[in-house]
Amino acid sequence: QTYGFPTVSVIADTLCTAITRSLENGALPEELVNAHVDALRAVVNLNLRDENSKPAKELLGSLQSLVEKKIS
């Protein structure tokens, strides 16, 4: 259940993917965990309920870019 914040589910899924991929390649960078926690806080603090809104898309895109950069 997302409690009205479906963007949280997307961030959690991105973190799960990062964990899985990082374990295959070595260790999970602490920076990635911190970025996901910060993103979760931002979603709640900025009330980003719609994952298709421009701010949510920008947040999710930058998070995905960080994952790609740190785990490749």
Side-chain angles (χ1 to χ4, degrees), residues 14-68:
T14 303
L15 179 58
C16 288
T17 300
I19 291 169
T20 301
R21 288 178 55 195
S22 67
L23 293 178
E24 293 168 355
N25 298 329
L28 175 64
E30 184 177 342
E31 180 183 0
L32 282 181
V33 176
N34 292 338
H36 282 81
V37 171
D38 290 344
L40 292 168
R41 286 185 181 130
V43 165
V44 174
N45 290 336
L46 299 173
N47 199 29
L48 299 177
R49 294 180 182 270
D50 180 7
E51 66 188 277
N52 294 312
S53 70
K54 184 177 180 182
K57 283 183 174 184
E58 289 174 0
L59 177 67
L60 295 171
S62 64
L63 198 56
Q64 185 60 41
S65 294
L66 182 63
V67 169
E68 294 300 321

